[in-house]
Amino acid sequence: MDTIVITTTDLRKVYRSRGREVSALDGVDLTVREGEVLGVVGRSGAGKSTLIRCVNLLERPTSGTVEVAGRDLTALAGRTDRAPAALRAARAGIGMVFQHFNLLSTRTAQENVELPLEILGRAGRRDRARRARELLDLVGLSDEQARAYPAQLSGGQKQRVGIARALAGDPKVLLSDEATSALDPETTRAVLGLLRDLNRQLGLTVLLITHEMDVVKAVCDSAALMKGGRIVESGTVAELLATPGSELAGELFPVGGVPSGPDRTVVDLTFHGDSASRPVISQLARTYNVDVSILGAAMETVDGRQVGRMRIELPGRFEDNVVQIGYLRELGLQVDIADVTGEADVTGSAAPRAPGAAAAPGLPGLAAAEAAK
Amino acid sequence: MTWSEMEPLLSQALGETLRMVAWSTVIAVAAGLPVGVLLVLTDRGGLLRNLPVNRALGVVVNVGRSLPFVILMIALLSFTRGIVGTTIGWQAAVVPLSVGAVPFFARLVETAVREVDDGLVEAVRAMGGSTWTVVRKVLLPESLASLLAGATTTVIALIGYSAMAGVVGGGGLGDLALRYGYQRFETGFMWVIVALLVVLVTLVQLAGDLAARSADRRRRGPAPRLRLLRPRTP
C-alpha cells in the first residue's frame, strides 16, 4: 500500500497577464500513495484548482515535475502548447471528475460514458455501449437513466455519469475537482460514499480538492492544506491530530465552548492514538476527585478507534491543575490549554489565563494556544 | 399579365434563385465553418493559440463583412470571369455570393462555437482527446443548434443578396421583379414576386428553426415539436 502513485516536485505555476505575474503554485511537493484518498483543502485562490490541473498537465507548470504511476508527465508534455500523443495517452489513464459535471448536452448519459472509449479507440459500437452500461450500473444508474440526456438528470445523477465517464479508461488515479461543491448535502454524502466505495472496490487512488472540511472527514485518508500556492500541512488524519497546533486538525475537529466562570482551566484534548479507547475523562475524575465538565467535542470513530478533539473544563486556575494535566499527558493525549478567556470575559473581571499561552483572539477553536510543557 | 404569362417566368426565376442560393450556401458553409472554428481556436486561450493568424483571419473576415455586396460583386467581376468564364448567369452570381457569405457565416460560427462551455473542452482534453477530437466531438455537436440557426440566417441573407446579383445579370426573382415591376410598371406582377419571396424566406426560417430545435438538448424534456408561427421561448 505504500507505493507512491502521484508525486509533484517543487511545482510552480506563474500566470503572466499584462506584465504582472501571479504565482498560483509556489513550490508544491505532494505525494499520494496507492489506494489512498487524499484531500487538498484551502480557500478559493489558494491554488488547489491549478494544482489538480497540473497533475494531468491540463495546466502546464512553469517549473517542477509531475509523476503519475512512475511516468514523468512533464517530460512527455514537450515544448509546445499542444499535447503530444504520449501525454494524451497518459491522460487517458487518469480519470477526472468536475464540479460542474462537464457532460455533453447533446449526448445521452450512456453516450457521454462512451466518449472516452471512442477517444481510446475501443473498437465496436456494441462493445462500447456494453462497457458504458456496466459503468453506469456500477455508479448506480438505471438503464432508463442511461438513455436520458443530462438536462433530464438531477445534479447527483449527473455527477454519477461524470464518475462513470472518468472510470471508462480503467484509470489507476482519479482526480476530483470539487466534485460535490455544486450538490446539496444529502447528494454530497451519497456521491462521496460512491467515491469511497470505488476507492475500496477498485483500489483507485483519489486526489480530490475541496473547500469543505466535511468532504475530507467523510472520505479522505489524508489531507493537505494549501495556502498561497503552498502546502502548509499534510498527513493522515491521525498524523494531523498528533501535530501540535495543526490548523487542519483544528478545522476538521472544531471544538467550541467557553468557561462557565472565573477560576476555571479550559483544556483541549486531542485523541489520536491508543489512548482513545480508554475512559480517560472518568479516570481523571476518579483519580483526582475533580469535577470535569465537557464544553465541546468533535469525535469520530475511524477504524474502530476514536479520534478527535474535546474541550473540557477543570475547576481552579492553571496552577491548581498542573498535576491533572500531567496525568492526561501521561495517558498519551495531546493537551493544550485553550485560550478562550477573551470571549468568556463578559463581566470584565480577571479571567484565568494559562501561563505561556499565546494570545490568539478571534480564532476560537482554531488556534488552541500551546501551554508550556 | 395573366397567370399563364407569369408562371413560366416565375418558375424559371425561382429555379435560378434557388440554385444561386443553394450553391453559395454550400460554399459558405464549407469555407465558413473551418474559418469560424479557427477564429476561436487561434484566439487567446484557444487550443491552437496563435494571435498573428487570429488577427489576420479577423481582418480578412471584417473586410469581407464590411464591403457592401453591390461593391463586392463589381470588384470581383474579373475574378468571377476567371473562375466561371463569364459574368452573366446564375453560375457567375454564385462567386460573389459565396465570397460575401463566407465571412458572414464564419462570424456566426465563431459566436456559436465560443458559447460552448470551456469545461467540456477541458473534460475531453482530460480524457486524452486531441484538438481535432475536441472540434469533432465537442465544439461542433454542442454548437449544432446555433450553427443551424446561423446557417438559416445566412440562407436568408443570401436570398436578399441574390436579388442584387440578379440585377447585374444573375437572373432570379430579384431580377424579374426589377425588370417587370420597375421597368415595365407591372406592379401586380412585382407583388406576386414579393409574395413568393416572403413565402420562400418563411419556409427557410421555419425549416431552420425546426432543425435547430431538434438539435438542441439543453432543455429538459423530450425532443421539441414544431410550433408554427409562435415566438421562440428563450
Side-chain angles (χ1 to χ4, degrees):
Chain A
M1 282 291 277
D2 271 315
T3 324
I4 305 288
V5 176
I6 303 175
T7 314
T8 73
T9 313
D10 197 27
L11 210 57
R12 287 168 197 278
K13 175 75 186 179
V14 179
Y15 291 106
R16 288 189 183 82
S17 69
R18 297 204 185 91
R20 282 179 53 203
E21 290 195 350
V22 183
S23 184
L25 296 180
D26 189 16
V28 173
D29 296 299
L30 185 76
T31 54
V32 188
R33 287 187 293 271
E34 188 175 5
E36 169 180 61
V37 182
L38 178 99
V40 176
V41 286
R43 298 187 183 190
S44 39
K48 314 184 292 286
S49 203
T50 308
L51 173 62
I52 202 163
R53 279 168 177 70
C54 278
V55 171
N56 59 2
L57 271 285
L58 284 178
E59 293 270 6
R60 175 176 304 248
T62 311
S63 68
T65 58
V66 176
E67 257 182 62
V68 178
R71 253 194 303 191
D72 184 351
L73 298 192
T74 30
L76 294 180
R79 291 264 176 87
T80 58
D81 273 351
R82 298 181 57 188
L87 175 61
R88 283 190 270 118
R91 274 181 188 158
I94 305 173
M96 191 164 187
V97 185
F98 302 88
Q99 178 176 5
H100 297 295
F101 324 123
N102 295 352
L103 302 176
L104 300 192
S105 68
T106 48
R107 285 174 172 243
T108 62
Q110 185 185 324
E111 287 163 351
N112 264 288
V113 180
E114 286 175 25
L115 177 61
L117 299 171
E118 293 165 23
I119 291 173
L120 283 167
R122 287 278 189 94
R125 180 178 273 273
R126 289 174 69 189
D127 279 357
R128 287 197 298 260
R130 187 158 39 81
R131 178 77 182 128
R133 286 288 169 94
E134 281 170 16
L135 288 162
L136 286 168
D137 188 49
L138 180 68
V139 299
L141 291 177
S142 66
D143 280 4
E144 196 188 327
Q145 286 158 341
R147 284 190 294 271
Y149 286 92
Q152 297 162 324
L153 296 172
S154 72
Q157 289 166 342
K158 281 186 224 177
Q159 196 56 290
R160 283 170 192 270
V161 178
I163 292 169
R165 183 178 69 175
L167 296 175
D170 293 319
K172 291 271 167 289
V173 176
L174 188 70
L175 306 176
S176 163
D177 177 16
E178 300 268 12
T180 57
S181 298
L183 303 175
D184 61 72
E186 203 171 317
T187 315
T188 295
R189 266 196 295 283
V191 168
L192 291 176
L194 172 64
L195 282 180
R196 196 42 156 167
D197 290 347
L198 293 171
N199 157 254
R200 295 208 173 125
Q201 278 176 31
L202 310 174
L204 205 59
T205 306
V206 183
L207 171 62
L208 64 84
I209 63 166
T210 180
H211 63 271
E212 293 169 314
M213 286 294 165
D214 286 344
V215 170
V216 176
K217 248 175 155 173
V219 296
C220 292
D221 303 303
S222 318
L225 175 65
M226 265 195 107
K227 270 185 176 178
R230 293 172 155 275
I231 290 191
V232 292
E233 278 183 29
S234 68
T236 64
V237 173
E239 283 166 3
L240 290 168
L241 278 165
T243 310
S246 160
E247 193 177 322
L248 257 181
E251 291 207 27
L252 281 171
F253 297 95
V255 287
V258 292
S260 52
D263 285 349
R264 300 281 197 280
T265 304
V266 177
V267 178
D268 283 344
L269 305 176
T270 303
F271 299 76
H272 51 76
D274 314 315
S275 61
S277 49
R278 279 196 268 166
V280 174
I281 302 300
S282 57
Q283 279 180 4
L284 173 72
R286 237 180 293 128
T287 313
Y288 295 96
N289 197 25
V290 287
D291 295 319
V292 182
S293 353
I294 296 173
L295 298 177
M299 305 290 293
E300 297 267 318
T301 306
V302 176
D303 295 331
R305 296 199 299 190
Q306 279 193 305
V307 294
R309 304 202 310 148
M310 185 183 285
R311 174 167 290 184
I312 62 171
E313 181 189 70
L314 300 169
R317 292 168 179 276
F318 175 76
E319 292 82 7
D320 308 325
N321 287 300
V322 175
V323 178
Q324 286 88 323
I325 288 167
Y327 173 76
L328 289 171
R329 288 215 170 101
E330 266 172 43
L331 289 174
L333 295 175
Q334 189 193 311
V335 184
D336 299 303
I337 308 303
D339 180 44
V340 287
T341 54
E343 58 267 48
D345 192 5
V346 279
T347 56
S349 65
R353 170 157 291 206
L363 289 169
L366 206 159
E370 229 203 310
K373 288 186 180 168
Chain B
M1 277 178 97
T2 62
W3 177 248
S4 56
E5 285 173 310
M6 290 182 195
E7 205 268 341
L9 290 170
L10 280 176
S11 62
Q12 198 211 342
L14 182 64
E16 286 166 352
T17 293
L18 291 179
R19 277 190 289 267
M20 274 193 280
V21 171
W23 278 105
S24 37
T25 301
V26 168
I27 295 169
V29 169
L33 199 60
V35 171
V37 171
L38 271 180
L39 277 170
V40 179
L41 291 180
T42 55
D43 199 5
R44 196 172 273 125
L47 291 177
L48 302 174
R49 189 175 58 242
N50 189 332
L51 287 182
V53 169
N54 185 263
R55 296 287 177 267
L57 268 181
V59 167
V60 170
V61 166
N62 281 343
V63 168
R65 294 265 280 122
S66 51
L67 277 180
F69 182 68
V70 185
I71 295 174
L72 182 75
M73 203 165 54
I74 292 162
L76 286 176
L77 277 177
S78 58
F79 178 66
T80 304
R81 191 177 291 120
I83 289 183
V84 191
T86 172
T87 59
I88 309 287
W90 68 265
Q91 292 93 335
V94 167
V95 175
L97 283 175
S98 304
V99 171
V102 167
F104 184 85
F105 186 60
R107 278 289 180 218
L108 294 175
V109 170
E110 185 195 1
T111 317
V113 170
R114 254 186 224 291
E115 270 175 32
V116 176
D117 185 357
D118 282 341
L120 302 181
V121 175
E122 193 176 48
V124 170
R125 287 176 63 216
M127 288 171 206
S130 62
T131 302
W132 173 236
T133 307
V134 168
V135 171
R136 206 161 45 101
K137 305 267 185 189
V138 182
L139 296 181
L140 295 183
E142 287 290 310
S143 60
L144 185 62
S146 308
L147 290 176
L148 287 169
T152 308
T153 309
T154 307
V155 170
I156 290 170
L158 277 171
I159 293 174
Y161 287 164
S162 76
M164 278 188 261
V167 176
V168 293
L173 288 169
D175 173 46
L176 196 65
L178 198 80
R179 279 192 284 133
Y180 283 80
Y182 184 70
Q183 291 164 352
R184 297 196 194 172
F185 305 104
E186 294 276 4
T187 317
F189 188 44
M190 192 185 73
W191 284 115
V192 171
I193 296 167
V194 168
L196 190 58
L197 281 169
V198 169
V199 169
L200 186 62
V201 168
T202 307
L203 285 177
V204 168
Q205 187 69 57
L206 280 174
D209 283 354
L210 180 65
R213 275 157 171 272
S214 62
D216 192 357
R217 296 260 179 259
R218 277 169 293 188
R219 281 163 289 112
R220 266 172 188 277
R225 283 177 311 179
L226 175 66
R227 290 201 198 89
L228 281 169
L229 303 177
R230 207 177 295 173
R232 255 174 195 247
T233 45

